[in-house]
Amino acid sequence: MKALRVVFMGSPDFALPALRELAAHYSVVGVVTQPDRPAGRGQKLTPPPVKVLAQSLGLPIIQPERLRQPEALAQLQAWQPDLIVVAAFGQILRQDVLDLPPYGCINVHASLLPRWRGAAPIQAALLHGDVETGVTIMKMDAGVDTGPILSQRREPIREDDNAGTLSQRLAELGAQLLIETLPEYIAGRLVPQPQDERLATYAPMLKKEDGRLDCQQPAEVLVRKVRAFTPWPGAFLEFRGAPLKVLRAHKVDITALQPGQRGILDNCPAIGTVAGSLVLDEVQPAGKRPMAGADFLRGARDWINGEA
């Protein structure tokens, strides 16, 4: 199996465990990742996490703006992969790429397909109150996460999970399942199973504005939003004309606060909604570090009785 020539495609932290495991078990002949992007307050040009790991492993790297660029396809052809493995790459693979390796293209997807196809499956599972999720190893086709399934593994969603903690667990789980699945797949002992289209749901790409907390929604829904959108794109309220990030929150069912009215509950800042109140356990004011809700109140005397 070490002689199998593998190209890996991935970009964010989620893809790191899969690349590490592949490099330990197979001959990774090339890595494709997204271009460096401006990030942070200073908008410094920052490489994707997969590039950093690939460099440390001494692996060849390309970073095409679009995979359809002729030079990108030419490099893929030059690597002569037997198999392409994809984990959160961030670009659609065209048919000429799908057809390139003899064993096709395999994807590590962070959901129990066909539930939550698309760009943000982890956030979607949290946002919709799912009690479990998992990872799927699938053979890719021209659709968006529509290919036949090779293997799956389930993972409970914990009450204190946010998108960050759940993503870390699913990334490790996906890497383990990938390494268990590939020998059986390459040997022809796994028959890919078609997805049941009747059960398909879709998790679209997120935008920053999706994290805005609307007090015309129930507190329970807003708690799920906080969990789903932490760490990115971030759940937030407006305070003093600037976004106030909400990193952790819980709901209180009975309160006198009206929707949008600010107050104090459980020694923390709170805001009324159409059903219950949202209590802000941890927040991050603009330009400051994360802090406990109680600490935030000591520097925000004007929080009480205001409206969001």
Side-chain angles (χ1 to χ4, degrees):
M1 282 295 177
K2 193 71 177 177
L4 192 78
R5 296 174 63 84
V6 179
V7 164
F8 181 78
M9 298 183 179
S11 298
D13 287 331
F14 177 83
L16 298 181
L19 176 55
R20 282 195 199 97
E21 288 295 326
L22 276 175
H25 290 84
Y26 297 94
S27 176
V28 178
V29 296
V31 172
V32 187
T33 189
Q34 296 277 40
D36 296 3
R37 307 284 190 200
R41 294 180 66 186
Q43 289 295 282
K44 181 182 177 182
L45 205 60
T46 304
V50 161
K51 178 181 179 180
V52 176
L53 176 58
Q55 286 176 325
S56 73
L57 295 171
L59 301 174
I61 304 163
I62 61 170
Q63 295 177 270
E65 193 69 45
R66 293 286 181 269
L67 202 54
R68 64 174 176 264
Q69 294 170 339
E71 57 269 30
L73 183 58
Q75 180 59 75
L76 286 175
Q77 292 169 334
W79 280 332
Q80 297 181 306
D82 299 308
L83 175 73
I84 292 175
V85 174
V86 180
F89 175 46
Q91 295 187 36
I92 300 294
L93 272 59
R94 299 196 327 172
Q95 196 64 48
D96 52 0
V97 175
L98 294 172
D99 292 340
L100 180 62
Y103 291 105
C105 300
I106 301 300
N107 181 243
V108 182
H109 185 77
S111 83
L112 296 173
L113 291 171
R115 186 164 179 81
W116 304 131
R117 296 171 176 173
I122 295 171
Q123 291 86 347
L126 289 165
L127 191 59
H128 289 79
D130 293 1
V131 296
E132 72 169 0
T133 183
V135 289
T136 299
I137 309 299
M138 96 180 164
K139 187 169 184 181
M140 299 176 72
D141 61 16
V144 178
D145 302 324
T146 55
I149 293 168
L150 296 175
S151 59
Q152 290 186 318
R153 188 153 295 161
R154 297 178 179 273
E155 174 68 17
I157 296 178
R158 302 169 187 169
E159 289 187 5
D160 60 347
D161 266 329
N162 60 30
T165 60
L166 185 55
S167 179
Q168 288 173 3
R169 291 208 311 282
L170 293 180
E172 296 291 346
L173 194 67
Q176 295 166 15
L177 186 59
L178 174 68
I179 296 305
E180 292 172 17
T181 301
L182 284 182
E184 297 295 301
Y185 169 67
I186 298 300
R189 292 189 291 266
L190 269 184
V191 179
Q193 298 298 313
Q195 296 186 35
D196 187 343
E197 292 295 326
R198 297 170 299 174
L199 302 178
T201 56
Y202 186 69
M205 189 174 294
L206 297 173
K207 308 180 297 295
K208 277 212 165 188
E209 187 60 26
D210 292 332
R212 184 181 296 276
L213 299 176
D214 181 1
C215 298
Q216 297 303 313
Q217 293 184 311
E220 182 176 356
V221 171
L222 299 187
V223 169
R224 295 205 301 261
K225 275 194 170 185
V226 170
R227 295 172 64 200
F229 298 152
T230 300
W232 197 91
F236 65 94
L237 297 162
E238 294 290 334
F239 180 59
R240 295 176 178 168
L244 175 68
K245 274 192 178 181
V246 182
L247 305 179
R248 288 187 299 110
H250 69 274
K251 69 180 179 72
V252 173
D253 290 327
I254 302 173
T255 175
L257 292 177
Q258 297 301 307
Q261 182 184 7
R262 299 198 298 260
I264 299 175
L265 295 169
D266 298 341
N267 295 317
C268 285
I271 190 162
T273 76
V274 292
S277 288
L278 185 71
V279 181
L280 315 184
D281 300 305
E282 185 179 9
V283 298
Q284 184 175 7
K288 296 189 178 180
R289 295 179 181 275
M291 63 184 70
D295 294 335
F296 166 77
L297 281 177
R298 283 194 277 273
R301 303 291 183 183
D302 52 338
W303 173 265
I304 304 174
N305 296 327
E307 287 194 1

